[in-house]
Amino acid sequence: MSNNKKSTKGVKGTNLHAIPQTLREMNLRVVLQEILANPGQLSRADIASRTGMTKATASRLVDELLSHGFIDEHPLPVGRVTPALIASKDEMNGQREKTNSEVSGEQNSNSSNQTRYQEAIEPVKTSTRNHADVAASQESKSRRRGRPAVFLSPRRGSIVALGLEINVSFLSAVAVDLAGRVLARRRECCDVSALSMHEAMTRLAQIAQEVRASESVCCARFAGSSLALPGLVSADTLAIAPNLGWKDVAFAQLLAPLADFDVRQVGNEADLAAYAIAHPRPGVAGDLAEFIYLSGNVGVGAGIVLNHDLVSGSGWSGEIGHVMVDPNGPQCSCGARGCLEAYVGLNALRQAAGIDNASSLGSELEQVSPYEANVATHRIRTDGKYDLATANQSESSESKEIAENLLAPHPSIEASTGIAVTPSRAEVRDMGVEAIMQAALAGDARACAAMRDAGIALGRALAATINTLGISTVRVGGIIGQILPVIRSVMECELADRTLQSQWQDMDIDVVEHAMDLASIGGAHRILREAAINPGAWIAQDSK
């Protein structure tokens, strides 16, 4: 398929979950799924062997996918380096002689240098029967017949989707291709809550246009866009995004400024981020089949995944930020008191730590003595569990105990997570948590109390969620991922006491690295899934 203006169109009106209907469409799907799951590792013969198709049928379907821009061919398996390629001449000769005796015993030691080279690069089989073994076997047979095998992978930059996101502190757009490669991205940090809905959507459209006009994207076939929002989303309405101040907005109104970008999916940002973890490449399921993804910025949400699929209910699931952790706690943006978000949301952390909430994100700590402010007003209740002094008595006990025992850098934490206790400035510059963490590590009473309460609240909310769902694998991102190494010990203490299964099963809680654009990427993967599960519809569109 040529890269012209016609090639930038998607399949209008195709259902995101469309299922192939004809035998040919189903076979196209099966072949493409094999290639997406094993990029650059399978030949046509391997496809036939793995799917049970005849070689002629598999080859014909591969030709269709090639001609319509879904896949590419390579002379050698992508990413596989054989030891024989770097062996000495004597080692290569020995490998050739061993291979000859095993295969036929008919070739002699005076074969040409070209023959020795071809035999030397033959893949080495592993001890287990997997796709690499099949590829090696088929490749070996093809070479002995004089017809080298070619290997198949998704074509890079040919089919592209946009993942768009609006959050409280930024607007972003990411372009992803069918191979799962990010081709271009753009992020604008700003106070979105200070903008009108139309202003925010118009600025997002400008960012999306910049990404789509970039050199690596402009000539690709455009599959459509997804929009991630920090709120509750139904089938055709944004019910509420409390931290943006948006409520009961029909998609027709919301998406009007994005009319040029074929928005096919609108979803909650935590759900779409969880989808990116469950499907790290378009159309390909990852290693984690069930988990809870916890995302935090100003708001806090969760994506729940079972059998690699999102559990979305009617659009109201995953609101872990509004799990009550203390009935006498501070008021949340939802109107209730004591929600998790009122302790671990960005604005809540900043307020509890004594950082001016009205100043720009990433501002410095207020010059207030940690012992002047009464931070006990909304301290989370622990019934003496941690045996800490009250805030006004913290000069000799609480500040020192929290800072030294709970917030100090710990080698085992860094070793287990791979993330330093103090996050990199580039990762948190627009999140405003660095100043809070630094103040806490320095022993500031308000910052220490904010971190302590965040750890307790997070442990309680996660315990309730894990007890309800029976899922013990948790991944965290956003500001919660940044502060997790600091608050982990407090959180784990709560989990140990409140999670029933903790006596028999360990909790697997870890930080997702590079989670900043995860919702945008997950949204793009959802759009590209349409091409992955029904390539026949795209091919039919090309024929019109």
Side-chain angles (χ1 to χ4, degrees), residues 312-324:
S312 57
S314 57
W316 298 80
S317 65
E319 290 301 314
I320 192 174
H322 300 289
V323 170
M324 188 270 291

Side-chain angles (χ1 to χ4, degrees), residues 8-177:
T8 63
K9 295 181 181 179
V11 184
K12 290 288 185 181
T14 302
N15 190 309
L16 189 66
H17 302 288
I19 302 298
Q21 299 298 318
T22 68
L23 179 60
R24 172 184 159 277
E25 287 179 343
M26 289 188 285
N27 284 340
L28 279 168
R29 173 183 179 175
V30 169
V31 171
L32 182 57
Q33 289 287 307
E34 288 285 352
I35 296 169
L36 292 175
N38 305 282
Q41 300 296 315
L42 303 179
S43 67
R44 295 173 189 239
D46 300 330
I47 296 292
S49 175
R50 292 168 67 91
T51 63
M53 300 177 189
T54 66
K55 292 182 180 180
T57 298
S59 185
R60 184 173 65 251
L61 295 170
V62 166
D63 284 337
E64 282 196 73
L65 294 172
L66 279 167
S67 63
H68 291 276
F70 284 86
I71 61 174
D72 269 329
E73 291 183 309
H74 309 278
L76 286 173
V78 175
R80 286 168 59 194
V81 180
T82 57
L85 286 174
I86 58 174
S88 66
K89 183 175 180 180
D90 290 339
E91 291 172 329
M92 291 171 67
N93 288 339
Q95 172 69 20
R96 167 193 160 272
E97 291 170 2
K98 180 180 179 181
T99 303
N100 287 346
S101 63
E102 289 177 349
V103 174
S104 64
E106 296 176 359
Q107 295 179 336
N108 56 55
S109 61
N110 295 322
S111 299
S112 66
N113 289 336
Q114 179 62 30
T115 302
R116 288 199 298 270
Y117 173 75
Q118 288 180 344
E119 293 292 337
I121 65 174
E122 184 170 313
V124 178
K125 294 184 180 181
T126 60
S127 59
T128 59
R129 184 71 172 174
N130 52 32
H131 70 264
D133 295 333
V134 176
S137 175
Q138 295 294 342
E139 184 184 3
S140 175
K141 293 177 182 178
S142 295
R143 283 193 173 129
R144 290 199 298 275
R145 292 194 301 267
R147 295 193 300 273
V150 291
F151 295 86
L152 308 165
S153 64
R155 182 173 296 177
R156 293 191 170 190
S158 177
I159 300 174
V160 173
L162 287 184
L164 311 177
E165 181 177 2
I166 289 185
N167 217 304
V168 179
S169 58
F170 65 86
L171 306 167
S172 72
V174 177
V176 182
D177 67 9

Side-chain angles (χ1 to χ4, degrees), residues 286-518:
D287 294 333
L288 286 179
E290 61 176 45
F291 61 92
I292 301 165
Y293 173 71
L294 187 64
S295 172
N297 194 277
V298 171
V300 178
I304 303 167
V305 173
L306 288 174
N307 297 321
H308 293 106
D309 286 334
L310 288 170
V311 177
S312 57
S314 57
W316 298 80
S317 65
E319 290 301 314
I320 192 174
H322 300 289
V323 170
M324 188 270 291
V325 296
D326 187 347
N328 299 311
Q331 188 169 20
C332 178
S333 62
C334 71
R337 284 194 173 275
C339 295
L340 173 64
E341 187 174 300
Y343 289 97
V344 300
L346 176 58
N347 288 344
L349 279 173
R350 289 164 60 84
Q351 185 175 8
I355 293 180
D356 181 10
N357 206 37
S359 63
S360 62
L361 295 176
S363 62
E364 296 299 323
L365 192 69
E366 285 183 334
Q367 298 302 309
V368 177
S369 169
Y371 315 117
E372 292 176 354
N374 178 13
V375 297
T377 305
H378 288 305
R379 290 297 305 278
I380 194 166
R381 290 187 59 183
T382 63
D383 297 325
K385 175 179 176 180
Y386 294 93
D387 195 25
L388 299 177
T390 61
N392 288 332
Q393 300 172 326
S394 63
E395 183 169 4
S396 62
S397 60
E398 180 173 329
S399 178
K400 181 181 295 185
E401 183 173 353
I402 294 290
E404 293 182 357
N405 297 337
L406 299 181
L407 302 177
H410 197 288
S412 64
I413 291 176
E414 294 198 23
S416 63
T417 64
I419 298 176
V421 169
T422 302
S424 68
R425 187 174 298 272
E427 289 181 318
V428 299
R429 183 179 295 132
D430 66 324
M431 292 186 178
V433 296
E434 187 177 48
I436 303 172
M437 296 176 71
Q438 289 178 344
L441 292 169
D444 179 89
R446 293 187 68 175
C448 286
M451 287 292 177
R452 166 189 171 274
D453 288 357
I456 296 170
L458 184 58
R460 290 179 179 179
L462 276 178
T465 305
I466 292 169
N467 283 337
T468 301
L469 299 176
I471 300 175
S472 59
T473 300
V474 180
R475 294 294 178 264
V476 298
I479 64 168
I480 299 177
Q482 298 297 333
I483 68 174
L484 182 65
V486 176
I487 66 173
R488 183 184 283 271
S489 59
V490 175
M491 177 198 72
E492 288 180 343
C493 183
E494 287 291 316
L495 282 171
D497 284 353
R498 298 178 183 273
T499 306
L500 296 179
Q501 65 197 72
S502 63
Q503 298 181 49
W504 298 276
Q505 185 178 14
D506 292 335
M507 304 293 107
D508 177 10
I509 302 175
D510 209 348
V511 176
V512 176
E513 297 186 26
H514 312 298
M516 190 167 285
D517 290 320
L518 209 55

